[in-house]
Amino acid sequence: MNPFDIWSLKFFGNTTEAYLWFFGILLSGLILKRFLSRILTKLLYAIFKKYGKKVGADEFLKLMNRPIQFFILVLIIYFAFDRLVFPREWNLVPDNQFGFRLVLFRIFEASIIFSLIWILIRAIDFIGLIFIARAHKANVVTDAQVVPFIREAIKLMVIGIGFFIVMGIIFNLDVISLVTGLGIGGLAFALAAKETLENLLGSFTIFLDKPFVVGDVVKVGNFEGKVESIGFRSTRIRAVERMIVVVPNKKMTDAELINETERSSRRSSFTIGLTYTTSEKQMKSIISEIRKWLDANSLIEPSPIVRFRTFNSSSMDIQITFFSMTPQIEDFLKLQEEVNFAIMNIVKENGADFAFPTSYVYLKKEENADID
């Protein structure tokens, strides 16, 4: 037997040479998959290199690594199986008729389309990072906020187009009729997804009216915190308790919302009570010194209100109201602490004292009546 005849030996309708080609392509492709992916990624990065320097090639490689590797894997499997033929004994129908061959071919087509859409979506993510980096460099907060929203909208459009391509190529459906049918059923879908659409409209309102931007400290309902991101459906807020609160965009636009970042000052109003042993002279001196101390503080707006307000059940009350030019809550609390310590010292230096709820019981001694 000629040694070269071994290459012509057939098993299940394929020669030994065909099987060697199959395993050779498959193994070499799997071994070189990562290397080929890196080369293809660098070639694609050349398109964005001029504009993506602020983001960097490493970020592009991180985004593109998995989708490109999947694309290469699909091609490797296709070229490997292309070296084999199905045995005649299986009596398979041609690939233009519904059967095993047609299903395999359609799976391959769907995998190719999926991988290309995946690559395109990751490219859109990278372009979004480029625009966000530019917005941060220009210190334009609104642009940094709008870019993620536009990026997600474009990605949804790409996914929708990919869906119609799959329907048209893989399943041979009439795309125009399908779009028409979806248009007719759109009303029913809109009614079913009423809440989702309301949140989507709420997100448009946020981007157009700009009641707040990413990074602002807001108070909505019972929650207060820093806005971390604004999405299609909801806004993520880092609450003061360090937890993430997800608030639907509809609630962000319908409810009363306070943007703490936009305020230029904070109002402080409180009452202190002095004991009834405090003389008129002491009371006037305390009020005058508190007013002077507040006027002298550069972080407090001029003309604070310090008045002897009322006689309470167990105290004589002084009303203190002022505006501090410290919009940040941490700075405001620090100033409030300084004010409290100053008031304590002023009251102590004037020989007075703070009152606390007290009650007095008066006992009247009665003479015992004479008993006859």
Side-chain angles (χ1 to χ4, degrees):
M1 181 178 179
N2 191 337
F4 293 100
D5 291 341
I6 194 172
W7 301 104
S8 302
L9 292 178
K10 286 191 175 184
F11 303 94
F12 300 104
N14 292 279
T15 63
T16 306
E17 181 182 4
Y19 284 116
L20 289 175
W21 273 107
F22 169 78
F23 287 110
I25 294 173
L26 198 60
L27 291 175
S28 60
L30 293 176
I31 293 172
L32 298 174
K33 181 182 67 173
R34 188 180 297 273
F35 175 73
L36 295 174
S37 173
R38 186 174 292 272
I39 292 178
L40 186 56
T41 302
K42 289 182 177 179
L43 291 175
L44 287 176
Y45 181 69
I47 302 174
F48 303 96
K49 185 177 181 180
K50 181 180 178 181
Y51 309 99
K53 292 181 180 179
K54 295 182 180 64
V55 181
D58 292 338
E59 188 66 29
F60 188 81
L61 179 62
K62 181 180 177 182
L63 288 171
M64 290 293 184
N65 184 40
R66 292 181 61 188
I68 289 181
Q69 282 195 27
F70 180 77
F71 174 74
I72 293 174
L73 179 63
V74 173
L75 292 180
I76 290 171
I77 294 175
Y78 174 78
F79 287 124
F81 276 95
D82 190 55
R83 307 300 301 183
L84 302 178
V85 296
F86 293 103
R88 293 182 179 179
E89 295 80 7
W90 290 9
N91 295 321
L92 298 178
V93 297
D95 55 9
N96 58 352
Q97 299 179 19
F98 182 77
F100 185 69
R101 291 183 178 182
L102 180 63
V103 171
L104 285 179
F105 186 70
R106 291 291 184 257
I107 291 175
F108 166 74
E109 287 183 329
S111 300
I112 288 293
I113 295 173
F114 171 78
S115 62
L116 292 176
I117 293 174
W118 193 0
I119 292 172
L120 183 57
I121 287 175
R122 289 300 177 87
I124 294 171
D125 285 333
F126 186 74
I127 294 172
L129 292 176
I130 293 174
F131 281 101
I132 291 175
R134 289 185 176 183
H136 285 309
K137 183 179 179 181
N139 198 23
V140 182
V141 179
T142 54
D143 287 353
Q145 173 181 311
V146 172
V147 168
F149 185 84
I150 298 176
R151 179 186 61 193
E152 296 302 320
I154 295 175
K155 286 164 64 175
L156 285 177
M157 291 176 58
V158 170
I159 293 173
I161 294 172
F163 171 77
F164 288 116
I165 291 175
V166 170
M167 293 295 103
I169 295 178
I170 309 300
F171 297 99
N172 292 325
L173 297 179
D174 187 351
V175 176
I176 297 178
S177 300
L178 181 62
V179 172
T180 304
L182 290 176
I184 296 174
L187 179 60
F189 173 79
L191 294 175
K194 178 176 178 292
E195 185 174 349
T196 301
L197 292 175
E198 287 177 344
N199 289 324
L200 181 61
L201 292 175
S203 64
F204 280 112
T205 302
I206 292 172
F207 285 113
L208 293 175
D209 290 347
K210 297 182 179 64
F212 58 89
V213 296
V214 174
D216 284 356
V217 177
V218 299
K219 183 177 182 180
V220 54
N222 297 324
F223 300 105
E224 180 178 0
K226 185 177 182 180
V227 178
E228 290 200 345
S229 64
I230 304 171
F232 281 107
R233 194 195 70 84
S234 60
T235 297
R236 294 168 63 88
I237 299 175
R238 177 73 65 176
V240 292
E241 296 85 0
R242 301 301 180 187
M243 62 183 179
I244 288 291
V245 180
V246 181
V247 184
N249 286 333
K250 180 179 182 296
K251 184 175 181 181
M252 295 294 292
T253 54
D254 290 348
E256 294 181 356
L257 184 142
I258 300 174
N259 191 331
E260 299 285 353
T261 304
E262 294 295 326
R263 68 159 71 218
S264 58
S265 61
R266 286 180 179 268
R267 179 178 181 269
S268 179
S269 182
F270 57 95
T271 301
I272 61 172
L274 303 182
T275 61
Y276 271 97
T277 58
T278 306
S279 66
E280 178 184 352
K281 181 179 179 180
Q282 288 174 313
M283 180 69 76
K284 289 181 178 179
S285 176
I286 291 171
I287 293 174
S288 176
E289 290 183 23
I290 293 176
R291 187 181 293 115
K292 288 179 180 179
W293 190 95
L294 294 175
D295 276 328
N297 194 304
S298 60
L299 296 178
I300 296 177
E301 292 184 0
S303 303
I305 299 174
V306 185
R307 295 292 182 186
F308 179 16
R309 181 174 180 179
T310 186
F311 295 95
N312 210 333
S313 59
S314 58
S315 64
M316 296 185 292
D317 293 344
I318 299 176
Q319 177 71 39
I320 302 173
T321 302
F322 64 88
F323 286 88
S324 65
M325 295 177 287
T326 52
Q328 297 298 327
I329 185 63
E330 295 85 0
D331 298 333
F332 173 73
L333 293 177
K334 182 179 179 181
L335 176 63
Q336 183 72 67
E337 183 182 55
E338 294 177 2
V339 171
N340 291 339
F341 282 129
I343 292 173
M344 289 178 61
N345 292 330
I346 291 172
V347 172
K348 183 178 179 181
E349 290 172 357
N350 282 273
D353 200 0
F354 293 98
F356 53 88
T358 56
S359 59
Y360 297 92
V361 178
Y362 295 93
L363 300 177
K364 183 178 180 182
K365 185 177 179 181
E366 296 182 0
E367 297 181 356
N368 294 329
D370 294 333
I371 300 176
D372 292 336

